[in-house]
Amino acid sequence: MMGKAGLLLLMLWGCTVCGSQTSMQKSPQGTLDFGFVPSGVYETHAYFEPGPIGILFHLVHTFLHVVQPNPFPQDLITKVAQQKLREVKQEYKKAIYYEIGFIVCASLGVLFVLFMPLVGLCFCMCRCCDNCGGEMHQRQKKNADCRRGFFVTLLFVTSLIISAGVLCAYSANQNLSTQLKGVRKLVNSNFRDLKTFVNDTPAQIDYLANQYNTAKNKVISDLDNIGPLLGSRIHAQLGKEVLPALDGALGLAGAMRETKEALENMSVSREVLQEATNSLQVNLINEQARLSNTLNDPACSSPGVSTTCSDIRRTLSQLSINANFSTLPNVDTELANVKNVLKTDLSNIVQKGYSTFNDTPGLVKNQTTNIVSGIKSILDDIGSNITSFSKQIPVQDILANVTLYLSQSQSYVEDYYPVIDKYDFYRWMGCIVVCCMVALILTFNFLGLLCGTCGYDKHASPTTRGFISNTGGNLLMAGVGFSFLFSWVLMLIVMIAFVVGGNVEKLVCEPFESRALFKVLDTPYLINPYWKNFLPGFLYQNPEIDLTFEKLYSNCKENKGIYAALQLDNIFNISEYLNTSMYTKDVVDVFEFVNVNLSDMVLLDAKAKQNLLNFTNTGIVSINYDAYLAEINKGVTKVDLLSFANNLEAQADKLPKGALENALKGHASSIRFIHGQQVVPLEQAMSTLNQSIRFLQRTTSDLPNKVNNVISAIDAAQNLITNNASLIITLETKKYMEVMIGYFKQYLNWVKNSMMMEVAACKPVANIVDTVEIVTCSFVVDSLNTFWFGLGCCTVFLIPSIIISVKLAKFFRRMDSEDVYDDIETIPMKTMEIGNNGYHNERLHGIPNPVMTSIPSYDTMTRFPRASAPPRQAEWGD
C-alpha cells in the first residue's frame, strides 16, 4: 500500500506542477527572483560516531581484514541470490577460498571445544593419580625463587590480558544495550521526517503555483511600460538614421546665425578700419612734416651731426600706412540676404522634428492599448486555470492516506519496543553471565596471586607453608578447574558469534559502505527473472528503465527531489507539460497584430528645406575673402612704429647734448603715442576681421553640397519612417515579445529545476536506509564482533593461564613432603637412621613416621615414596 500511495502522490506532484507551468522566465531585462521553495527541516542525522569504543571497533575490523582480506565476491553472491546452485557447486573452490580464514578459525574453535573438556578430564584423572603435578611433594631447586617470581609475573600479565578481554566484551555488551535504547529515538525521528516529507509537499506545490504571480506581475509591469520599452527600441533603431539627419539640419541652422554675426562683424570692422587708417595716415603725415622741419635745423649741418640727420631723413618715407581698406567691397547685400533667410526660425522647426521623433514611445503606447489589454486578459486566464486545476486534484485525500499509513506503521513498530527491550535484557543478562564466568576465573587468579604472594614465607619449607599461601595455591587450582569447565563453553559462544558477526560484517556492512551491495541488488534479472531492473519493473511495469537501487539511494542521499530520484519522467514527463509554446501561443498570436503607424511623423517640412536652399543663395559664397585677407596680412604701417621710434631715439643719443637731441626724442615719443593710440586698436580690429573671414570661408566651403547632403539625409530618414519603419517595428516587436516569452521560460525552468531538486526532497528515504545500516552494522554487528573478539581473547589466554596456575600453585600450596639436603657432602647411616635421611622427619612435629621402622636400607621405594629424585644406594655408605 505504501508503494502505491507514494506513487500516486508523486504523480499528483507532477500534475499539479504542470498546471503551474504557465508563466514566464528569463529575459534580457533581468532575472526573476522566485525565492526559495519552502522545505521542512529533517531531524534525522544518519551518522554514527561510536566514541572511544570506536578504537575497539577499528581493531576488530583490522582483525577481520587479516582473517578475510579477499574482496567482496559479487559474482558468487549474485549466483546464490539467483539460486543457481549448480553453478555455485561448480565454483565451490571460490567460496572456500573466500571463507578460508573463517573456516580455519572456526576449525580451531571446534577443536578447542572438543578437546578442552577431554583434556580437562584427563588432567583431573591424572592429578587424582598423583601425577601431572598432583603429588603433594615439591623438589627443591636453587632457582626456586626466580621461577616462582617468573610464574607470578607471567600469570599476572596473562590475567591482565584476560581482564582486558573481558572488559572489551563487557563494553561491547553495554554499548549494544545503550545504542538499542537510542533506536527508538532514531526510528521516531525517521517517521517524523517521513511525515514532514509528505506534509510539506502541498505547501511546496502551492508555492510553485503561486510564483506564477511573480512572472505575471513582471509581464504586466513591462506591458504597462510598453512605450518606454518597445517604443524606445524602435526609437533607437530609427534614430540611427533620423538623429544624424536632424543633427545636420540643426547644425546648419546654427551656422546661419553665426554667418550673420560674422558678416556683421566683417561689415563693421571694414568701416572702422577705413576711418582709422585715414586718421592714422593724417597723423603720420603731420609727424613726418614736423620731423622733416627739425632735420632742416642748422644744427644738422654741423660736422658729425649731418650724417646722422641724413640717415634719419632717408627713413621719413616709412612713416605711412600700408593697408588700404577703402578699396575692399562691402558685404551689406549678403548680410541683408542672410537676415532675410533667418526670418524663418529653422532651429525651432528642427526642434519640432526632434520632439516629434522623440515622441515615438508615446505613439507606441497609444497605438498598442488594445494589445496590452488582450495580453493581460490571457495572463488572467492562465492564472485562473492554474488555480482551478490545482484545486481539482485530491491532494489532501492522498496525503491523509499516506499520513495514516505512516502513523499505523509507527504504532506497529512501537508495539515491538517492549519485546525488543525484553529480549535485549535477556541477551544482556546472558552476556553478563558469560563475562562473570571469566570474571570468576580472574577472581581466583588474582586472589590466588594475592594470597600466595602476600602469604609466602621464603624461610618456610614446602611442608610448613602458611595458611594464606596454601589458600592462594588452592585458589589458583580452583581457577584452573573453572577454566576447564567454562573455556569450551566460552569458545563455543565465540565461534558462533565470530562466524555470524564476521560474515555479516564482510558480506553486508562493508559492501554497503562501498556500494558493492547495491551492485548485487541491481544485477539484471536477480530478483525477478523476467525483469532486467527490478525497481522500475515494480513501480512502472517497465524493467528496461535505467533506475537502480544505487541511483535511487545516491539521489536521495544528495537530497534531490523524488521526481528526479525515481525518474518519474518515464511515466509523467514534465518537459512535455513545460513546453513554452503551449502557454505562449496565445501571446504570440496577439503580438502578431501589433502595428505601430509612424507615417504622420514629419521631421522637416518643405519650408524648412527651402530655407536651407535659400541660405546657399545669399551670396556669401561669392564674397572675395582673399582680398580682405590680403589687406589684413599687409600690416597697418609700412614700418613698425615702435621700432622706428626706438631707432630714432638711438640716433638722437649719438648727437651732442642740446636742442636737436631733445627735439628728436620728442618726435620718438610722439610716434610711440600714435602707435599706442591708433595702431594697436587697428591691429585688434584686423584680428577680429580675420576671424570672421576665416569662419565664413569654412562655412561657405562647399556649402551647396553640405545643404544638399542634409536635405538628402532628411529625405532618407523621412522615407524610412514613412515607408520602411514597419520592418523595424516588426523586428523590435518580436524582440519585445521574446522578452515576455523569456519570463515564461524562466518560470517554467525554475519549476522544472525545483521539481528535480527541491520539491519532495527524498533525504528521509536515504536516512531510512542509513538508519537500518547504523542499527544493523554500527550498533549490533560491531558490538557483537567486539564482544566475541574480547571473549575470544579471554578464552585463548585461559590456556596459558591454566598451565602457569598449575606451575605456580606448587610454590604456594603446603606439601606433604619435600626435598631437604644438608650442605655436607656425605651423610652417615647412623645420622640417616635418626631422621636425617634426606627427608623432613615428621617426628619433629610429633607425628609418628612408620617409614623409619626397620626397613632395609636398599628399599628406596619404601623409604622414599615421594622422592622425585632419591639418592642412589651407592651414596648411602659414603
Side-chain angles (χ1 to χ4, degrees):
M1 176 183 175
M2 178 67 173
K4 302 300 181 181
L7 184 56
L8 290 174
L9 179 62
L10 297 175
M11 294 178 65
L12 164 67
W13 293 334
C15 293
T16 304
V17 172
C18 87
S20 62
Q21 320 293 324
T22 51
S23 243
M24 298 149 304
Q25 189 223 346
K26 190 172 186 178
S27 75
Q29 302 297 329
T31 303
L32 297 179
D33 182 11
F34 297 105
F36 297 97
V37 177
S39 59
V41 179
Y42 296 136
E43 299 179 20
T44 304
H45 298 283
Y47 174 76
F48 175 67
E49 181 60 44
I53 200 173
I55 300 174
L56 298 177
F57 292 168
H58 181 71
L59 184 63
V60 174
H61 292 163
T62 304
F63 176 77
L64 286 175
H65 180 72
V66 173
V67 173
Q68 170 53 289
N70 302 314
F72 179 68
Q74 181 177 338
D75 296 338
L76 190 61
I77 298 298
T78 301
K79 291 176 181 179
V80 173
Q82 291 176 333
Q83 297 182 352
K84 296 181 179 180
L85 300 180
R86 183 175 300 176
E87 295 183 14
V88 174
K89 291 179 180 179
Q90 293 175 356
E91 298 182 4
Y92 69 93
K93 292 183 179 179
K94 292 184 179 179
I96 293 176
Y97 176 76
Y98 178 79
E99 291 286 339
I100 188 65
F102 288 102
I103 293 173
V104 171
C105 293
S107 299
L108 294 176
V110 170
L111 293 176
F112 188 97
V113 172
L114 293 177
F115 285 100
M116 200 63 180
L118 294 177
V119 171
L121 180 61
C122 294
F123 180 74
C124 291
M125 294 176 64
C126 183
R127 285 185 65 87
C128 289
C129 297
D130 289 340
N131 293 316
C132 304
E135 66 277 19
M136 298 300 291
H137 170 76
Q138 183 177 19
R139 182 180 178 183
Q140 294 287 56
K141 296 183 179 180
K142 294 182 179 180
N143 60 347
D145 290 339
C146 181
R147 293 181 64 197
R148 178 181 55 80
F150 173 74
F151 288 137
V152 168
T153 302
L154 204 57
L155 181 60
F156 182 74
V157 172
T158 304
S159 299
L160 287 180
I161 295 174
I162 297 174
S163 300
V166 75
L167 288 176
C168 176
Y170 177 79
S171 299
N173 182 43
Q174 290 297 118
N175 178 72
L176 179 56
S177 296
T178 302
Q179 298 301 339
L180 287 179
K181 291 179 181 177
V183 168
R184 181 177 303 183
K185 179 180 179 182
L186 191 60
V187 171
N188 290 340
S189 69
N190 274 278
F191 274 109
R192 285 194 296 270
D193 287 347
L194 285 174
K195 291 178 181 178
T196 301
F197 168 75
V198 172
N199 294 331
D200 283 352
T201 302
Q204 292 174 336
I205 294 174
D206 291 341
Y207 184 82
L208 295 182
N210 293 335
Q211 285 307 302
Y212 167 77
N213 293 327
T214 300
K216 174 185 173 182
N217 293 336
K218 180 60 177 175
V219 173
I220 292 176
S221 175
D222 284 3
L223 289 174
D224 291 338
N225 292 282
I226 191 172
L229 295 177
L230 178 57
S232 297
R233 289 174 176 271
I234 297 173
H235 178 273
Q237 293 299 322
L238 294 175
K240 294 178 180 179
E241 291 193 28
V242 173
L243 293 178
L246 291 176
D247 290 343
L250 187 62
L252 286 178
M256 290 179 184
R257 293 191 302 272
E258 293 176 354
T259 298
K260 186 200 75 164
E261 294 174 358
L263 288 174
E264 289 176 345
N265 291 336
M266 187 175 176
S267 178
V268 172
S269 297
R270 173 181 169 276
E271 295 177 359
V272 170
L273 288 173
Q274 286 179 350
E275 294 177 0
T277 52
N278 291 334
S279 176
L280 176 63
Q281 180 66 19
V282 171
N283 290 333
L284 289 177
I285 291 173
N286 293 334
E287 186 60 33
Q288 183 180 5
R290 288 193 295 273
L291 182 58
S292 178
N293 292 333
T294 301
L295 293 175
N296 292 328
D297 188 93
C300 285
S301 302
S302 302
V305 178
S306 59
T307 303
T308 302
C309 291
S310 297
D311 293 337
I312 296 172
R313 193 176 292 113
R314 284 195 294 271
T315 60
L316 290 178
S317 61
Q318 295 178 355
L319 291 176
S320 177
I321 62 172
N322 192 28
N324 186 8
F325 294 98
S326 60
T327 60
L328 295 177
N330 62 49
V331 291
D332 294 338
T333 303
E334 290 80 359
L335 179 58
N337 292 335
V338 171
K339 288 181 178 180
N340 188 48
V341 169
L342 288 176
K343 290 180 180 179
T344 300
D345 192 352
L346 182 61
S347 296
N348 186 43
I349 296 174
V350 174
Q351 290 296 337
K352 289 181 179 179
Y354 275 114
S355 177
T356 302
F357 179 67
N358 291 334
D359 194 41
T360 301
L363 292 175
V364 172
K365 183 176 182 179
N366 294 333
Q367 296 182 28
T368 56
T369 304
N370 294 334
I371 301 296
V372 170
S373 60
I375 295 176
K376 288 182 178 179
S377 177
I378 293 174
L379 295 177
D380 292 337
D381 293 340
I382 294 174
S384 299
N385 291 336
I386 293 174
T387 303
S388 60
F389 184 81
S390 301
K391 292 180 179 179
Q392 291 175 3
I393 302 176
V395 180
Q396 297 300 330
D397 294 339
I398 296 177
L399 293 181
N401 293 334
V402 175
T403 303
L404 178 61
Y405 179 79
L406 290 176
S407 299
Q408 291 175 350
S409 300
Q410 186 174 5
S411 299
Y412 179 79
V413 172
E414 289 177 349
D415 290 340
Y416 277 91
Y417 287 153
V419 179
I420 294 174
D421 293 339
K422 175 182 176 181
Y423 284 101
D424 178 62
F425 176 74
Y426 293 157
R427 177 207 56 79
W428 179 82
M429 285 298 298
C431 293
I432 290 297
V433 169
V434 171
C435 291
C436 288
M437 291 181 182
V438 181
L440 180 62
I441 296 172
L442 287 173
T443 302
F444 286 128
N445 283 357
F446 284 118
L447 288 177
L449 288 173
L450 180 64
C451 294
T453 303
C454 296
Y456 182 78
D457 184 1
K458 64 180 180 178
H459 299 292
S461 63
T463 58
T464 60
R465 287 172 182 157
F467 173 77
I468 297 178
S469 176
N470 185 60
T471 301
N474 292 334
L475 289 173
L476 291 178
M477 291 309 298
V480 171
F482 282 110
S483 296
F484 277 114
L485 288 176
F486 296 155
S487 59
W488 67 276
V489 178
L490 297 176
M491 182 55 71
L492 181 62
I493 296 173
V494 169
M495 182 181 64
I496 295 173
F498 166 72
V499 172
V500 175
N503 278 286
V504 172
E505 174 67 28
K506 300 299 290 187
L507 295 176
V508 177
C509 297
E510 289 186 3
F512 178 85
E513 186 176 356
S514 63
R515 303 290 176 88
L517 195 60
F518 288 108
K519 291 181 174 61
V520 174
L521 294 175
D522 294 329
T523 302
Y525 311 106
L526 175 67
I527 302 175
N528 190 315
Y530 302 102
W531 288 350
K532 180 180 180 180
N533 296 310
F534 174 77
L535 198 56
F538 174 75
L539 294 176
Y540 316 132
Q541 284 70 50
N542 185 1
E544 300 301 320
I545 298 175
D546 186 22
L547 175 61
T548 63
F549 287 100
E550 183 178 8
K551 287 184 179 179
L552 175 61
Y553 174 77
S554 299
N555 289 332
C556 290
K557 189 76 173 176
E558 296 172 4
N559 204 26
K560 291 184 178 179
I562 199 71
Y563 184 89
L566 284 179
Q567 298 183 17
L568 291 175
D569 55 315
N570 289 285
I571 61 170
F572 191 88
N573 193 347
I574 289 182
S575 298
E576 296 178 0
Y577 293 90
L578 298 183
N579 189 348
T580 308
S581 60
M582 294 176 58
Y583 308 102
T584 60
K585 183 178 181 301
D586 294 339
V587 177
V588 173
D589 292 341
V590 172
F591 269 107
E592 289 181 354
F593 294 98
V594 173
N595 184 19
V596 180
N597 185 8
L598 303 179
S599 59
D600 295 336
M601 184 182 294
V602 178
L603 299 178
L604 207 63
D605 58 16
K607 181 180 179 181
K609 296 177 183 176
Q610 185 61 44
N611 186 258
L612 288 174
L613 294 174
N614 292 338
F615 180 57
T616 61
N617 298 324
T618 56
I620 59 175
V621 178
S622 59
I623 296 175
N624 189 0
Y625 298 109
D626 293 335
Y628 276 88
L629 292 176
E631 293 300 323
I632 292 173
N633 292 332
K634 288 180 181 179
V636 178
T637 58
K638 293 181 178 180
V639 67
D640 184 10
L641 295 183
L642 289 178
S643 298
F644 186 89
N646 293 333
N647 185 47
L648 180 62
E649 195 171 54
Q651 294 292 338
D653 290 336
K654 295 179 182 179
L655 300 176
K657 301 294 183 179
L660 182 59
E661 176 191 9
N662 294 332
L664 290 177
K665 289 184 177 181
H667 289 301
S669 298
S670 298
I671 293 171
R672 288 194 183 95
F673 179 79
I674 292 172
H675 178 271
Q677 293 296 318
Q678 291 185 280
V679 174
V680 170
L682 277 172
E683 289 178 345
Q684 293 175 350
M686 290 171 65
S687 175
T688 302
L689 179 61
N690 183 53
Q691 293 176 1
S692 299
I693 292 172
R694 296 292 184 185
F695 170 76
L696 290 172
Q697 277 186 321
R698 291 193 301 271
T699 302
T700 58
S701 175
D702 201 22
L703 180 62
N705 289 332
K706 292 179 180 178
V707 173
N708 290 332
N709 290 338
V710 170
I711 293 175
S712 298
I714 292 291
D715 291 339
Q718 187 66 56
N719 180 63
L720 173 64
I721 293 173
T722 304
N723 300 320
N724 299 323
S726 58
L727 297 176
I728 294 177
I729 292 172
T730 301
L731 179 62
E732 293 304 321
T733 300
K734 183 178 180 181
K735 292 180 179 178
Y736 178 76
M737 179 186 67
E738 290 175 353
V739 172
M740 303 294 103
I741 303 304
Y743 295 134
F744 281 93
K745 290 180 179 179
Q746 182 174 349
Y747 173 71
L748 297 179
N749 288 339
W750 174 76
V751 170
K752 185 188 298 183
N753 293 334
S754 298
M755 278 297 299
M756 294 292 183
M757 303 302 298
E758 298 181 62
V759 174
C762 62
K763 182 71 172 179
V765 177
N767 284 343
I768 291 175
V769 178
D770 291 338
T771 298
V772 173
E773 187 272 336
I774 289 173
V775 173
T776 303
C777 297
S778 299
F779 290 179
V780 178
V781 175
D782 281 346
S783 297
L784 175 64
N785 289 336
T786 305
F787 180 80
W788 64 250
F789 182 77
L791 195 61
C793 177
C794 298
T795 306
V796 170
F797 277 90
L798 284 179
I799 296 176
S801 173
I802 291 172
I803 297 173
I804 298 170
S805 296
V806 171
K807 291 283 188 180
L808 186 58
K810 275 280 190 175
F811 292 92
F812 292 155
R813 299 179 71 189
R814 184 184 301 134
M815 300 290 104
D816 293 339
S817 61
E818 63 180 2
D819 288 340
V820 180
Y821 299 103
D822 294 333
D823 293 336
I824 57 176
E825 292 292 333
T826 59
I827 304 174
M829 285 294 297
K830 183 176 181 181
T831 306
M832 292 170 55
E833 291 178 355
I834 62 174
N836 294 331
N837 52 9
Y839 280 86
H840 177 71
N841 191 343
E842 294 181 354
R843 288 186 180 273
L844 298 176
H845 301 278
I847 303 174
N849 189 354
V851 179
M852 296 306 300
T853 57
S854 300
I855 298 175
S857 61
Y858 54 84
D859 190 0
T860 59
M861 292 303 297
T862 302
R863 293 180 59 88
F864 312 107
R866 294 189 176 276
S868 59
R872 293 186 297 273
Q873 186 174 2
E875 297 176 353
W876 296 347
D878 293 340

